[in-house]
């Protein structure tokens, strides 16, 4: 399956314009092109499908529009704001949150939710930390909401404040947004501001239209239309010299090319706002993503580099900081800022490599032959003279495959032919020239 990208005039599903795909086999495009939902990779979440060359009848178009309307949230963002104003006026004994509907309840609505589980006595502190009140959407394929561990969130915020940024465009980072918002409401001097762009509309219950836009980062769709787009554009204007940085932590199953295309549009939005000084620069950005996507990200953003910092999560069994020693998280920061200014915490073992001019993890050794700190996963890598590069510690050089790989592998998987006759399609043990001998 290959993505052909956002296409002009694409049909819409409840998640905005669909993306154009094509089936591929062995790298060749094959068969008909079709449109599918940009946001949901699981058909159960959104089953939108249309052939590119399909004629859609008027009746079906009308039905689709009706369907899209019916699949919008039951309250608008504006309505949710009015509800919130009423909610905070309630005495705490009347503040309820329905866990089933993931919704703040006004007393008049209690009846409708009477057989639902709910929380009572919702405090102001809880309202300031919606990411802890709402349950994380863990649907692997579609939403995959993995929330930053406090340590990582704190680190990111301190880092960007130290770098001099005062505005944060938080794209799919509700917990970072909430940390900024809650500091701003507690400390009068706190001058950092954040705008959250996220597809999770539940957050519209807690933030104004200047603090949250319902947004789809796979097709750059603002559900709130032109007004929401304008909010974002205004936020990106660096009035009174407040520098802005974009931070994003997309679902890892996401299509890198679709994300890159949206992020370029956000960068263009930033560039088009009036800027003092040189205008050819890129909007500063942190893209948080697993290290094994490095080459994909660099394909789209050659100015980016990967930092060694391991981002930890609260609700991700694999990527969380263990009690004894840590499981290594594969999640990293990709940025277009100069690597040397990204200071990583020495108390967590990171150190500065003067040759590479960046902070590296404790296990990452500078290889004299490669002339760089080559580890990607935090473990110490080893140099292979035959491959002329550093490889994972668990790999060894296979003479059949002529490259480094896992000890356990089947040599036939490569296009390199049989070791005996050189023909492809079988390995040495099954070579016909041997059995005839
Ligand atoms: N670590 C972050 C959360 C990352 S999880 C934090 O703690 O703040 C991925 C986030 O992207 C979630 O908030 C999810 O709601 C959002 N998301 C998922 N699909 C999206 C889409 N298509 N468009 C915009 N946001 C999306
Ligand atoms: Zn309910
Ligand atoms: Zn090396
Ligand atoms: Zn090798
Ligand atoms: Zn081999």
């Amino acid at each position: 399956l290959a993505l052909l990208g956002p296409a002009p005039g694409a049909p819409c599903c409840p998640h905005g314009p669909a993306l154009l795909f094509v089936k591929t086999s062995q790298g060749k495009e094959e068969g008909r092109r079709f449109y599918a939902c940009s946001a949901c990779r699981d058909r159960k979440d959104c089953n939108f499908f249309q052939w590119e060359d399909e004629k859609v009848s008027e009746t079906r178009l009308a039905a689709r529009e009706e369907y899209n309307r019916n699949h919008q949230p039951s309250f608008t963002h504006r309505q949710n704001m009015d509800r919130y104003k009423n909610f905070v006026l309630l005495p705490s004994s009347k503040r309820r949150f329905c866990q089933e509907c993931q919704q703040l309840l006004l007393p008049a609505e209690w009846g409708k939710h009477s057989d639902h589980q709910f929380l009572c006595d919702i405090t102001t502190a809880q309202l300031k930390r919606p990411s802890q009140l709402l349950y994380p959407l863990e649907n692997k394929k579609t939403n995959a909401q993995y929330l930053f561990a406090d340590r990582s969130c704190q680190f990111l915020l301190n880092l960007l404040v130290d770098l001099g940024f005062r505005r944060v465009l938080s794209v799919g980072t509700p917990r970072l947004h909430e940390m900024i918002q809650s500091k701003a409401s507690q400390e009068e001097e706190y001058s950092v501001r954040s705008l959250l762009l996220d597809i999770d509309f539940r957050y519209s219950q807690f933030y104004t239209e200047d603090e949250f836009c319902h947004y789809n980062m796979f097709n750059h769709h603002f559900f709130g239309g032109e007004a929401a787009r304008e909010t974002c554009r205004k936020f990106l204007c660096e009035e009174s010299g407040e520098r802005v940085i974009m931070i994003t932590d997309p679902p890892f199953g996401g299509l890198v090319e679709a994300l890159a295309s949206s992020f370029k549009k956000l960068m263009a939005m930033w560039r088009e706002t009036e800027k003092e000084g040189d205008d050819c620069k890129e909007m500063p950005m942190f893209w948080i993503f697993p290290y094994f996507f490095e080459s994909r990200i660099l394909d789209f953003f050659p100015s980016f580099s990967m930092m060694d910092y391991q981002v930890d999560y609260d609700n991700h069994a694999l990527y969380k900081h263990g009690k004894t020693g840590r499981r290594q998280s594969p999640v990293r920061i990709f940025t277009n800022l100069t690597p040397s200014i990204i200071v990583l915490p020495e108390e967590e073992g990171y150190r500065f490599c003067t040759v590479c001019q960046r902070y590296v993890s404790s296990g990452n050794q500078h290889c004299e032959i490669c002339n760089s700190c080559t580890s990607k996963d935090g473990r110490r890598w080893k140099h292979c003279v035959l491959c002329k590069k550093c490889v994972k510690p668990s790999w060894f050089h296979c003479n059949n495959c002529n490259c480094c790989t896992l000890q356990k592998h089947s040599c036939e998987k490569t296009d390199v032919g049989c070791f005996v006759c050189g023909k492809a399609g079988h390995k040495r043990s099954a070579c016909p020239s041997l059995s005839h001998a």
Side-chain angles (χ1 to χ4, degrees):
L1 200 69
L3 174 71
L4 295 168
C12 286
C13 72
H15 305 92
L19 297 179
L20 190 56
F21 293 89
V22 68
K23 268 236 155 65
T24 57
S25 101
Q26 286 163 348
K28 276 182 298 199
E29 288 186 9
E30 236 174 48
R32 281 161 92 185
R33 301 165 165 214
F34 62 92
Y35 292 104
C37 175
S38 57
C40 310
R41 279 163 306 284
D42 193 335
R43 283 293 192 92
K44 275 186 261 137
D45 297 316
C46 179
N47 62 5
F48 184 88
F49 181 90
Q50 184 190 311
W51 294 113
E52 187 192 23
D53 55 8
E54 188 178 342
K55 269 258 165 273
V56 184
S57 71
E58 289 294 321
T59 355
R60 236 183 94 202
L61 277 181
R64 185 184 285 167
E65 268 174 35
E66 161 105 19
Y67 178 88
N68 289 352
R69 262 197 307 278
N70 292 340
H71 282 76
Q72 293 310 317
S74 46
F75 293 112
T76 64
H77 195 167
R78 188 70 51 81
Q79 284 170 326
N80 271 338
M81 277 300 90
D82 289 337
R83 295 164 53 77
Y84 184 85
K85 281 183 205 140
N86 291 326
F87 190 88
V88 292
L89 294 176
L90 295 170
S92 80
S93 63
K94 290 197 168 159
R95 288 179 177 190
R96 289 190 183 172
F97 175 77
C98 178
Q99 287 178 301
E100 224 157 301
C101 306
Q102 292 284 293
Q103 189 189 315
L104 299 171
L105 298 182
L106 296 170
E109 297 159 341
W110 289 2
K112 264 194 284 176
H113 300 260
S114 59
D115 49 4
H116 294 175
Q117 295 255 10
F118 60 84
L119 298 173
C120 2
D121 300 314
I122 302 298
T123 63
T124 307
Q126 280 174 301
L127 292 174
K128 284 202 180 124
R129 308 231 53 188
S131 78
Q132 291 178 348
L133 194 58
L134 303 167
Y135 64 74
L137 303 171
E138 288 195 34
N139 176 329
K140 290 257 154 16
K141 284 196 167 142
T142 296
N143 209 289
Q145 218 157 32
Y146 295 122
L147 299 166
F148 292 133
D150 210 48
R151 199 174 53 91
S152 284
C153 202
Q154 215 36 272
F155 163 74
L156 286 167
L157 183 50
N158 290 343
L159 176 62
L160 59 92
V161 169
D162 288 346
L163 290 169
F165 295 103
R166 289 298 172 267
R167 288 193 200 195
V168 185
L169 184 67
S170 300
V171 183
T173 54
R175 188 155 272 182
L176 180 70
H177 174 74
E178 133 187 328
M179 189 176 265
I180 296 171
Q181 294 292 109
S182 105
K183 283 199 184 191
S185 75
Q186 278 157 19
E187 304 164 31
E188 229 167 274
E189 310 279 83
Y190 203 74
S191 59
V192 185
R193 290 204 291 134
S194 170
L195 173 66
L196 175 64
L197 307 187
D198 201 289
I199 204 165
D200 186 352
F201 193 66
R202 298 176 306 171
Y203 283 99
S204 73
Q205 300 180 86
F206 306 92
Y207 299 123
T208 67
E209 286 155 296
D210 286 330
E211 296 165 331
F212 170 73
C213 297
H214 190 200
Y215 173 78
N216 183 347
M217 62 168 112
F218 290 115
N219 59 2
H220 187 59
H221 179 65
F222 286 86
F223 293 84
E226 200 40 50
R229 191 180 288 270
E230 194 49 39
T231 300
C232 182
R233 193 177 296 131
K234 276 225 185 87
F235 187 82
L236 296 179
C237 290
E238 299 179 330
E239 295 152 358
S240 56
E242 292 179 322
R243 294 175 61 218
V244 37
I245 184 167
M246 170 176 152
I247 302 201
T248 184
D249 187 11
F252 305 147
L255 301 152
V256 176
E257 51 270 72
L259 292 169
S261 148
S262 298
F263 299 162
K264 288 195 172 177
K265 286 173 187 160
L266 288 169
M267 283 176 157
M269 218 181 212
W270 174 85
R271 203 177 312 113
E272 282 154 20
T273 64
E274 278 167 42
K275 294 267 170 296
E276 294 158 26
D278 53 339
D279 50 8
C280 53
K281 274 191 316 186
E282 266 179 357
M283 169 165 68
M285 184 166 141
F286 283 173
W287 178 346
I288 296 166
F289 227 49
Y291 71 81
F292 34 82
F293 282 100
E294 182 183 24
S295 64
R296 299 287 292 137
I297 292 183
L298 296 196
D299 281 347
F300 294 102
F301 293 107
S303 65
F304 279 38
S305 36
M306 186 174 88
M307 302 293 99
D308 269 19
Y309 185 78
Q310 303 194 358
V311 179
D312 285 318
Y313 295 86
D314 259 357
N315 58 331
H316 202 299
L318 288 177
Y319 308 162
K320 116 172 129 189
H321 195 80
K323 273 199 193 103
T324 56
R326 64 194 284 184
R327 281 239 205 184
Q328 309 238 15
S329 161
V331 184
R332 303 287 183 272
I333 302 168
F334 294 85
T335 184
N336 50 359
L337 296 175
T338 312
S340 62
I341 63 174
I342 311 293
V343 179
L344 305 186
E346 278 170 19
E347 62 277 17
E348 288 177 37
Y350 299 99
R351 65 187 163 78
F352 191 72
C353 173
T354 48
V355 184
C356 297
Q357 282 293 301
R358 66 178 182 101
Y359 280 81
V360 294
S361 56
S362 54
N364 197 354
Q365 286 268 333
H366 190 85
C367 169
E368 298 299 339
I369 307 165
C370 297
N371 195 30
S372 99
C373 289
T374 43
S375 169
K376 303 289 179 192
D377 60 11
R379 294 178 298 170
R380 182 177 179 169
W381 284 27
K382 57 179 188 191
H383 192 87
C384 171
V385 284
L386 295 170
C387 292
K388 298 192 177 69
K389 63 176 185 188
C390 283
V391 297
K392 289 184 177 175
S394 53
W395 285 14
F396 88 120
H397 192 88
C398 168
N399 287 320
N400 277 356
C401 299
N402 204 17
C403 68
C404 278
T405 180
L406 280 173
Q407 192 96 39
K408 258 203 218 151
H409 72 282
S410 53
C411 297
E412 61 198 338
K413 268 202 191 137
T414 65
D415 328 320
V416 178
C418 164
F419 192 57
V420 177
C421 70
K423 286 189 189 132
H426 61 269
K427 47 180 181 173
R428 176 169 50 174
S429 55
C431 182
S433 71
L434 280 185
S435 58
H436 288 147

